[in-house]
Amino acid sequence: MLNSYSGFRLFFRLALLLTLFMCVGALLGHIAIVTLLGTIGLLAWHYRQITRLNFWLWKDKKLTPPQGQGSWEGVFNGIYRLQGKNRRRVGQLATLLARFRQGAEALPDAAVVLDAELNILWCNKLAQLILGFVWPQDSGQRIDNLIRHPDFSDYLKKADFKEPLEMPSPVSDKRLLEIRLMIYGDRQLLLIARDITRIHQLEGMRKDFVANVSHELKTPLTVLQGYLEIMQSMEEDDSPNQKPLSLMQQQTLRMQSMVEQLLALSRIEDAVDIDLSKTVNMKLMMDILKEEAKALAGDEYTLAFNCEAGLNAHGSEIQLRSACSNLISNALRYTAPGGVITVTWRSVATGGLFSVKDTGVGIAPQHINRLTERFYRVDDARSSKTGGTGLGLAIAKHALSHHHSELNVTSEYGKGSTFSFIIPLHLLDRQ
Ligand code: ADP
């Protein structure tokens, strides 16, 4: 209770001094005057201590405080201790910041920290290299004043950062960047930019390679197919060569259909900028699809086509037809004869719904997410038997993505599946 900084100790000290002044005053016979002079002296001493403290706090460069006396000793030492603590904290924060910056510099991507008003707070060296920032001159500048590409301004305006943005680098048109923005903390933004020129080039090379090889394979396969037909017709019906020849013909036909599908896929992949102002007459398209389906189904399936009148879509007729006809031919191929296939085109709250429902083999849940991958087949044996190439749904997925839509699959193993997609409202045309 009576430690050196306690209030009681201060009070006892004051009381002691006053008693001392009064005793001396009593001895000299002037209690009031001696007590008053003693109190004035005490105040003057305290005033001097305050002046020393002020001088040390504001003028003196020394780190250690002046030697405090009496009740001021605790105050001086306390301030010194607080200062020490703060210095240690600042040191720790500086180390942390340095470590964070070293980490951000080691990132393989350009990183830029922005505040809520899109002003640049910090960027790493790679950002200066691929985004052309000059540091520290560009600190505090709005990022859209420095990156002046219209796509980037639209991206910022929309403020929907779920998908990355691809745009040419502000430093060189030949370099392609992938930009991602992430909101964190108190509405701060982290921009990450990655150079994807090489990936883009490789992707282009892959597409060209597939398209060229498929194209080059077309002619030899047609020649092969033609000669096989002639050879087969020249053989007697009971000739032992008939079986191998017909097997060879089957396989060439399969290869031909795979080449056709590969070409169709690369054509659709390339046609990103389709004319979305064109109207596709869906009634007409459904009639053609119905005729095709009838030809494939023969009398073995029950087909039901329901089409809402006057409901049309905008986009590419070839691509939409390719997507729909792949879904219908799949429904027929993966449904045993006697099954029911229902094809529907009608309006729903979010747009125009196209769906193909079958009563076929169904798909186990673990396969559903992978169906649109190239060459993915649930059951290789069944797929080859039915003439499948594993490309039909990949084609449908690409065609639909060009129409701002995606494929939905619901299925119950052994009972049947429904493949559907919704053409969004802005691509619908009602008459
Ligand atoms: P494929 O040419 O092999 O049919 P797709 O890309 O069209 O290739 O389909 C991929 C796989 O999805 C198929 O191999 C098949 O296993 C499965 N599939 C597609 N449609 C259906 C369906 N209607 N019912 C059951 N399985 C299906």
Side-chain angles (χ1 to χ4, degrees), residues 2-7 9-10 71 73-75 77-78:
L2 289 181
N3 62 33
S4 54
Y5 310 125
S6 86
R9 192 177 166 130
L10 278 176
S71 47
E73 191 185 344
V75 177
N77 290 349

Side-chain angles (χ1 to χ4, degrees), residues 330 333-334 358 363 371 376-378 383 388-390 392-393 419:
N330 274 354
R333 282 191 291 126
Y334 297 103
D358 63 50
I363 307 157
L371 292 181
Y376 188 81
R377 288 141 154 199
V378 173
S383 211
T389 57
L393 293 182
F419 285 72

